[in-house]
Amino acid sequence: MKKFALAATASLAALSLPSIANAQEAEVFVGVSGGYHDLGVDGEIEDEFPGVGIDDGSPIFGAYAGVDVPLGESLFAGVEGNYHIGTSAIDSEYGASLRLGFQDQGGAKYYLRGGYQEVNFDYAEIIDLEVPAGTYDGLDDTDGDYLVGAGAEFPLGTNAMLRVNVDTIAFDSARATAGIGFRF
């Protein structure tokens, strides 16, 4: 059901992007980002299974794209998608979110966002325990839930920007990213 909800949301966003992008003053953006995602499960598992080491955080690297539309002089709304690859506890993650925020006189944007994020885990990296090959085969290693967060984008010249985001997935994980983007 969650994958259906994500597919429906992504389809709706994709269908609406052309009309949003053609709106007067719409701002399309793309960029690359990196950060760290802490899944927040280490304490729970270590309490339940003493002696089992858990490494539930992962550096992540990826890309994002979206469009913002002004809602007045300083308010804006937008939609954004992201895809990241992890290096340890997370194999990959992707999602979509809606943004609502304001832009100051200097061009910096501050926003809140909400959406959905799907995460593909790497159990062999999370659980520090010697197990026979194939132990994790057949286990569902993906999960997704709602994402909420906040971010800011700071102009670097005319079309470039530096951005930072802090997010959580269902208030179970902590995810921080920073990146460089370009506005069109």
Side-chain angles (χ1 to χ4, degrees):
M1 183 64 172
K2 290 179 185 179
K3 289 183 181 183
F4 174 76
L6 176 62
T9 302
S11 298
L12 182 59
L15 291 173
S16 65
L17 278 177
S19 62
I20 293 173
N22 287 328
Q24 188 177 36
E25 300 181 43
E27 183 177 79
V28 176
F29 57 90
V30 298
V32 295
S33 64
Y36 191 79
H37 192 161
D38 183 350
L39 299 171
V41 298
D42 57 344
E44 299 168 14
I45 294 174
E46 289 170 346
D47 289 347
E48 193 70 31
F49 302 100
V52 174
I54 301 296
D55 180 12
D56 68 341
S58 182
I60 54 175
F61 306 94
Y64 61 91
V67 63
D68 286 337
V69 177
L71 298 177
E73 282 196 35
S74 61
L75 291 178
F76 69 90
V79 62
E80 173 183 321
N82 74 80
Y83 181 81
H84 289 85
I85 296 172
T87 62
S88 56
I90 296 173
D91 281 335
S92 64
E93 61 180 46
Y94 59 91
S97 61
L98 300 175
R99 301 165 20 127
L100 180 63
F102 70 94
Q103 184 170 2
D104 68 16
Q105 294 293 337
K109 289 185 171 184
Y110 307 92
Y111 53 88
L112 298 174
R113 64 191 204 157
Y116 183 84
Q117 192 78 6
E118 184 84 11
V119 181
N120 183 345
F121 307 104
D122 187 337
Y123 289 133
E125 290 288 332
I126 295 173
I127 302 170
D128 186 20
L129 188 64
E130 291 293 323
V131 296
T135 299
Y136 302 116
D137 292 351
L139 292 177
D140 183 9
D141 61 354
T142 60
D143 193 18
D145 215 327
Y146 66 91
L147 173 137
V148 293
E153 297 173 350
F154 305 99
L156 299 172
T158 306
N159 294 326
M161 64 181 164
L162 171 68
R163 97 184 218 150
V164 294
N165 285 316
V166 177
D167 303 309
T168 182
I169 299 173
F171 295 99
D172 291 330
S173 70
R175 180 175 178 266
T177 57
I180 299 288
F182 300 94
R183 297 180 176 135
F184 303 98

